[in-house]
Amino acid sequence: MSLPRFLKFMLRQSPRKDFEILRKLDDAKWGKLVGVDELGNRYYVNPEERYGRERWCLPAASHRYMDASQIPPRWHSWLHKTTDEIPKASATEDAASLCRPKWMAFPHYENYTGTNKASVTYNTVRPKVDSWEPIAASRS
């Protein structure tokens, strides 16, 4: 990041907002707020930015708990320019506006792999091979 870009960034917003953006993104970004999803993530656009960097997300989670799976698919497609249509506030409103079936309007949840909430399968089949237990002969 160049010094003129950093100074331009620091003069555009409040110091508190600047600190939050620098802490979460490790980059100096500013833009117009486009929307907020149901998880609290805020989405911005800045047409002055170079191509591929003009759309970005400020996660609602703290820096330690940020994860890419916390971005709903509707907003992911907008961020990666799959669609230019800005998603609605909730998944049900978005599914209704896009004429999708009701079963596609389920709420988004993050990937819980590696946490206590992870889905764990259990085995219901008896093992086909018994484990080997050595029998030691007594020494007399």
Side-chain angles (χ1 to χ4, degrees), residues 55-109:
R55 295 179 182 180
W56 52 281
C57 169
L58 189 64
S62 67
H63 187 68
R64 278 182 70 193
Y65 302 109
M66 288 190 306
D67 185 16
S69 70
Q70 294 171 344
I71 296 178
R74 304 174 291 119
W75 283 102
H76 182 271
S77 64
W78 178 80
L79 279 173
H80 293 275
K81 296 193 172 200
T82 306
T83 180
D84 285 332
E85 186 175 327
I86 297 170
K88 304 281 191 260
S90 70
T92 53
E93 290 175 11
D94 205 36
S97 69
L98 295 174
C99 300
R100 290 186 178 157
K102 287 184 180 178
W103 62 268
M104 291 182 87
F106 57 88
H108 177 72
Y109 58 90

Side-chain angles (χ1 to χ4, degrees), residues 118-135:
S119 176
V120 180
T121 60
Y122 59 94
N123 193 358
T124 59
V125 180
R126 202 180 88 216
K128 295 180 178 159
V129 178
D130 294 329
S131 59
W132 177 67
E133 295 180 18
I135 300 172

